[in-house]
Amino acid sequence: YWEEEVRVSITECLKHPSGVLTPVDVRKFGPEWFSVALGTLAVSINSLRLSSLFPLNLVTSAFFYLGLLVLLIVAVLWVLRAVVDSSVVQQDYFNVARLSFLPVLPLALLVALTVDIDSGNSLIPLPGSVYSLVYYASYAALFFLAVVLGVRILLHEVDPNSLTYAVLIPPVAVTATSFLGIPLREYFLSAISIGVGLMLFVFLGSAVVSVHIRESRNPARLTSSVLPVGVSSIIALSLLGVSQGGLIPEGLAFFTALVLVGFETWNFFVSIVTVALSFRKVKQQPLLLWALTFPVSTYSSASVELFSWYHHMLLLALSLVAYFTLIAMWVIATLLTLRSLVINGKRK
């Protein structure tokens, strides 16, 4: 009798692993969940940028290892999701929002390796060839995903409410490859990635603003308004990095970055106030808060990099405001996510 019961149980596990092995349906773990890992690693890289001024090395290491753990867990659940239901692959392609979040996986990996290499390979000692391999593979994958998104938008019908600034994630991710490319002295490819991010930001960003004005204002659209902060900040950081390779005069790079961060400052405060005023709606979808963490981190990092050149206390103050905002958002998003998982687990 017990032998038969065990056999039936194993058969059920193989048929429905999402319902038997876990208290939460793994089919809900789409690519947008990688933003949890990216948000955690964003705290790590932001702390590293500030560690030259403040004792944040321990914070950098703690969030680095925690981010890697979250990335591994989410990656396993994401793969298991496709195994349980293979139809989600096609569904994700036609879902513009989920397709836009797919590049977050290689982006999170790039951020993790950037933290490691900028820390002097003290966190996870790896051969230099590994960094180069991951950089080139991620660059190609992110550029490919940006092309896929463009084809998806142009060839198939798109729900206007799905056109938020989330569609800028693929070009933003391509531009962010410079985070790892600069330490590897890949200045030429980094310059190309700046062009991709800048021009797509101008054209896609304008289209999203137009749609936002015409269509209803849902929580996803409200919180996604902060994502341009990430675009301009990453372009600013990339310009500062490219100037090290002599492709652009250093003074011009810092001035251009200052102009971009000026726009960031306006957009940062507008977006944060908007999110705060719509928090009752936002807290129902914790992943929307996670999507804000990386852009806020890049804004703080760009501000402190400019402070190292101009030595203006306003830049340091803005960087710290963004950093503490990032920490607060991480804590709130973590609590809301755990609460959501517990509630869904009890229901199941």
Side-chain angles (χ1 to χ4, degrees), residues 267-333:
N267 197 16
F268 169 75
F269 284 105
V270 169
S271 301
I272 293 301
V273 171
T274 301
V275 171
L277 293 177
S278 60
F279 185 71
R280 288 187 177 181
K281 297 179 180 180
V282 173
K283 69 179 182 179
Q284 299 172 5
Q285 303 181 51
L287 290 179
L288 298 177
L289 276 179
W290 284 112
L292 304 177
T293 52
F294 184 66
V296 172
S297 171
T298 56
Y299 170 57
S300 176
S301 298
S303 298
V304 76
E305 287 293 326
L306 289 174
F307 172 75
S308 66
W309 176 270
Y310 289 105
H311 301 289
H312 198 294
M313 293 305 297
L314 176 61
L315 292 170
L316 180 59
L318 291 174
S319 179
L320 291 177
V321 168
Y323 179 72
F324 287 117
T325 301
L326 170 65
I327 297 297
M329 289 172 54
W330 186 89
V331 172
I332 294 172

Side-chain angles (χ1 to χ4, degrees), residues 10 71 110 134 278:
I10 294 176
L71 181 61
L110 281 173
V134 173
S278 60

